[in-house]
Amino acid sequence: HIEDARLADHAGAAPSPVEPGTRASAVRVRFEAGRGDGLRIGSGGTATGSDLTFTGNAGHAIRLTGPGAAVRVTTVAFTSNGGVVIAHPQSDISLLGAVSAAGSPILGIELMGGQITNSVTWRKNPLPIVVRNMIDVTGSATTLTVDPGVVVKLRGLDRHIGSGDFTTNTAELVFNGRLLSQGTAAAPVYFTSLFDDSVGGDTNNDGAATAPGPGNWHRLTMNSASALHELRHTIVRYGGAQLGGFVNMIQVGSSTLTVTGGEIASGTAG
């Protein structure tokens, strides 16, 4: 446990790493001017805290490096870090109370590409989730649950995609398990472009320099023959980046998809 402290200039390593499978807590702590990440949490590790400040770290303010890593903090300010939060897609992230973020290239919770092999819930946070490339929900018993009000923004990593341009490294969610998107009429779930400032704010922190459009990301791909996927009050837009000749924003293979409410619009195919 760390309380009323300033941790700074830590030579490329997190000043207070949470080792795999361990727990740590912090209250009224400043993580600043580090040459790497501010706080690093290993697989299965848990960090809790309140009244935290992350400022001027060259890396991300918080990095969750493996599956099962968790962070639960109340009242936190992120200012001028290399990034805000970056995490394995099977992490558990809860940012509560007053949360502010400014001065970083991406003002969101960035998820690394990779596999989700155990069921996980993406929770509603003040900052949107940013999917950097492909995430594969694998295994017929594995479910990705997306809570009401979650904003998921997907990005093409190489360049802005549009007007027939395409990239082979654009964001995609592949479900060889199950997708349960639990939006409500009052709090829909969004799968949209990183450039969409109308929900979740100006996540790529460039003012009006970029605007969303069809083909900004690839698609939601649903493969599992045994899965019943659900999109409840879910808004899917600006996908359909061309890969292998396909421009559909939602691909349903041998799966079953139920859509209740919501909207599917502004993709490359219409």
Side-chain angles (χ1 to χ4, degrees):
H1 176 77
I2 306 172
E3 191 166 334
D4 294 312
R6 174 181 176 270
L7 304 175
D9 192 21
H10 40 90
S16 183
V18 180
E19 300 296 339
T22 65
R23 300 178 65 88
S25 61
V27 177
R28 296 181 300 277
V29 174
R30 294 179 61 88
F31 300 81
E32 63 182 42
R35 290 179 243 176
D37 301 316
L39 174 63
R40 188 171 299 164
I41 306 165
S43 300
T46 299
T48 61
S50 61
D51 296 308
L52 306 182
T53 299
F54 296 85
T55 184
N57 295 288
H60 282 74
I62 301 174
R63 181 182 294 267
L64 296 91
T65 63
V71 61
R72 301 181 182 91
V73 295
T74 303
T75 308
V76 57
F78 303 100
T79 307
S80 299
N81 301 285
V84 178
V85 178
I86 187 166
H88 187 280
Q90 203 169 294
S91 302
D92 186 355
I93 300 165
S94 294
L95 306 178
L96 306 172
V99 176
S100 63
S104 296
I106 299 294
L107 302 177
I109 298 167
E110 298 179 77
L111 297 185
M112 310 169 194
Q115 289 188 329
I116 295 175
T117 57
N118 291 305
S119 294
V120 67
T121 298
W122 289 356
R123 305 182 189 280
K124 175 73 168 69
N125 282 291
L127 302 176
I129 290 170
V130 177
V131 175
R132 296 159 57 93
N133 41 32
M134 190 179 81
I135 293 175
D136 182 4
V137 180
T138 186
S140 59
T142 305
T143 298
L144 170 61
T145 300
V146 185
D147 278 352
V150 169
V151 176
V152 181
K153 295 190 177 184
L154 300 101
R155 61 183 289 186
L157 295 183
D158 290 344
R159 55 192 178 275
H160 180 78
I161 306 166
S163 303
D165 194 12
F166 68 95
T167 175
T168 57
N169 199 23
T170 188
E172 177 182 11
L173 295 176
V174 178
F175 297 93
N176 292 300
R178 183 187 185 203
L179 169 63
L180 179 56
S181 180
Q182 296 186 309
T184 66
V189 168
Y190 287 85
F191 292 95
T192 188
S193 167
L194 174 65
F195 307 133
D196 185 358
D197 297 349
S198 69
V199 290
D202 181 15
T203 308
N204 64 332
N205 198 23
D206 70 345
T210 53
N216 283 166
W217 55 280
H218 189 30
R219 68 187 182 192
L220 308 179
T221 301
M222 302 173 189
N223 290 330
S224 176
S226 61
L228 174 60
H229 305 281
E230 297 184 39
L231 294 177
R232 304 177 192 165
H233 296 283
T234 298
I235 297 171
V236 184
R237 59 195 185 196
Y238 302 123
Q242 181 182 352
L243 291 177
F246 298 101
V247 295
N248 44 322
M249 194 159 46
I250 299 177
Q251 172 73 31
V252 181
S254 54
S255 301
T256 300
L257 170 63
T258 300
V259 178
T260 305
E263 178 182 77
I264 299 171
S266 301
T268 301

